[in-house]
Amino acid sequence: MTSTPLIPRRVFFGNPDRAQVTISPDGQHLAWLAPRDGVLNVWVAPRQRPADGRPVTADAGRGIRFYTWAYTGRDILYIQDKGGDENWRVYSADIDTGEVGDLTPFDGVAAQIGALSHHQPEEIVVALNDRDPQWHDLYRVNLTSGERTLLLQNDRYTDFIIDEDLALRAAVQMTPDGGLALWRPENGEWAVWQSVPQADMLTTTPIGFDKSGRVLYLRDSRGRDTAALVATDLTTGDVSLLAADERADAGQVLRHPTEHHVQAVAFEYERKEWQVLDPAIAADMEYLRGVTDGDAEITSRSQDDRYWLVAYLVDDGPVRYYLYDRQQQSADFLFTNRAELEGLPLAKMHPAVVPARDGLNLVVYYTLPPGSDSDGDGIPDMPLPMVFIPHGGPWGRDSWGFHGWHQWLANRGYAVISVNFRSSTGFGKAFTNAGDFEWAGKILADQQDGVQWAIAQGIADPARVAVMGGSFGGFSTLAGLTFYPEVFACGVDIVGPSNLITLLETIPPYWQPMIELFTTRVGDHRTEEGRALLKAHSPLTYVDRIVRPLLIAQGANDPRVKQAESDQIVTAMQARGIPVAYALYPDEGHGFARPENNLSFAALAEAFLGRCLGGRVQPIGDDLSGSSLTVPVGAAEVPGLVEALGE
């Protein structure tokens, strides 16, 4: 293991060569995200000449992280905020002229792309909260003129279902009990059409209409545990079960680009598995399984359905992109997302199912350093220092595949484990709902059960286990060091809330219509009983229990977990003489977008973990260059940081 070359951090934390590769609706062009002067921008190339790619946007700040084709075939739509404040603007870029238009020229407004349609290629639906910060009104926006036409002035709904004619067909409202009401227009008025109980709220979601506009597809857990794929006939009310799995919720769906019917659906327990529902693509899916190693993902399709953009995902290498011609039934290799990963000594990711103390099954993924498992049985030759990475959300999940943090830390000599604890999604509503009101209770117990399993298996050295995560994973870090103060050797918290009362009191205004999602699952800050629970589950309440080193990172513009969440626990630790290192980024929000900032924080975290766990460390060197890093407190707690800062 010690002979494994040290892979430079920039390989993991720098910009990808290409990402989010798609094909235009007319099938004539490819697009992707790639660096332009070190900043991610949208590039376009003729389908037949991908090497002739050229940038069509010129963002010079945080980089573009999401784009989509308009159905004109000549316009790229993308969103951008300022410094991570999540006040998004919607832009259009003409791929021929390079001209960029701001379709939502408003400060302090969180614009959203609502819908596009090949029947109305010159227009899109945009949601704007410019009238009232809490509510998004719907507008049709002309891509050429920028003219906006009001579709709906909204003071009730949190989501909308729009058909291929850009007509508003249904809307979703959160109810006071934490459930959902689905509304639709009837005889010129809006009326409640269906109700979704609180227990099904996170596992029941509309997907969209078929071409006829009469059939609505949904993921639906009502009357069952795992969410099934169903089709509802709006004329007759009949509901048809299309696909289901006893262990996993219906997940990603593959729909025909113009007919819009569901052709395949994925279910993911340990690994993602596809059920093909439409015989018309059965031969295509079978062919793609044999093209190369990895799990095939169809990321984009031309309108005539001749060309598919296919990404192959593996756990120990880059994403490989192929252009598949259905007419010829042939797939041509395009490029990978990170060429520097080719040929490196990367590690495999192992899935396992671990029983929690109360009998729930927890799907976990762990990675071992290359060379540490000489007999290949998934257990290292000796227990290793380990980093536990809890995922964010908590209503999300960890999955099998390439995980940059796993690979980086495994290369440094650590075992790495990720645990799908209760509240994680994808495993049925009973599993998800078992985490309600358990943020510092059974959720933390599940995390501990995953860590203790790794210790019992001989994977982890019990004296050298760290916890590191972002958002809810950051909360888990702070909670781990306060509720289980002797278990972890150290913790790394990225934008994690420390006080659940102040977290809920300062959510963005456009989250306010969804407040019952939090009050019925985390705790109700509006009641005395709820505030008592939130205080009891807040790491800040027990700050004096912290006895292990802690590194905290925060984006100053974070609209979800405000800077105050990190400030207050740092201040409380200082008041008690408890050492803490605090990295603050003035141009970031909820997580870090600029690669210079990601690289700088990885350098800090690596040095910090090396001090605590004894893993291999690449010197900080010039990895702080170009970042906005400030260290208000505790630079001396990170080896080499004072020198790197020139202090």
Side-chain angles (χ1 to χ4, degrees), residues 308-368:
W308 291 5
L309 218 298
V310 186
Y312 286 87
L313 313 179
V314 296
D315 56 348
D316 59 351
V319 179
R320 300 178 66 82
Y321 291 105
Y322 283 75
L323 180 64
Y324 173 56
D325 184 336
R326 292 187 71 217
Q327 184 173 302
Q328 301 295 326
Q329 201 172 71
S330 64
D332 294 327
F333 173 71
L334 295 173
F335 35 65
T336 67
N337 71 325
R338 291 179 181 268
E340 283 190 302
L341 292 177
E342 297 279 6
L344 293 180
L346 301 176
K348 303 296 292 184
M349 176 179 278
H350 303 274
V353 179
V354 174
R357 63 192 68 180
D358 64 357
L360 280 185
N361 285 327
L362 313 175
V363 175
V364 310
Y365 302 95
Y366 69 97
T367 303
L368 301 177

Side-chain angles (χ1 to χ4, degrees), residues 268-344:
E268 182 181 3
Y269 189 67
E270 293 180 50
R271 294 279 297 272
K272 183 180 291 186
E273 298 179 1
W274 285 91
Q275 288 190 31
V276 177
L277 306 181
D278 186 351
I281 67 165
D284 302 299
M285 298 294 279
E286 181 62 29
Y287 171 83
L288 291 173
R289 275 192 285 268
V291 168
T292 190
D293 292 338
D295 293 350
E297 297 274 357
I298 294 90
T299 64
S300 180
R301 299 160 76 170
S302 61
Q303 285 295 103
D304 63 6
D305 209 25
R306 176 173 176 176
Y307 298 106
W308 291 5
L309 218 298
V310 186
Y312 286 87
L313 313 179
V314 296
D315 56 348
D316 59 351
V319 179
R320 300 178 66 82
Y321 291 105
Y322 283 75
L323 180 64
Y324 173 56
D325 184 336
R326 292 187 71 217
Q327 184 173 302
Q328 301 295 326
Q329 201 172 71
S330 64
D332 294 327
F333 173 71
L334 295 173
F335 35 65
T336 67
N337 71 325
R338 291 179 181 268
E340 283 190 302
L341 292 177
E342 297 279 6
L344 293 180

Side-chain angles (χ1 to χ4, degrees), residues 369-409:
S372 65
D373 174 16
S374 59
D375 56 8
D377 63 354
I379 304 298
D381 300 336
M382 63 182 64
L384 298 168
M386 186 178 78
V387 180
F388 163 50
I389 303 176
H391 66 69
W395 306 295
R397 64 162 293 165
D398 286 304
S399 296
W400 179 90
F402 184 87
H403 192 303
W405 282 17
H406 273 243
Q407 294 293 342
W408 161 53
L409 294 169

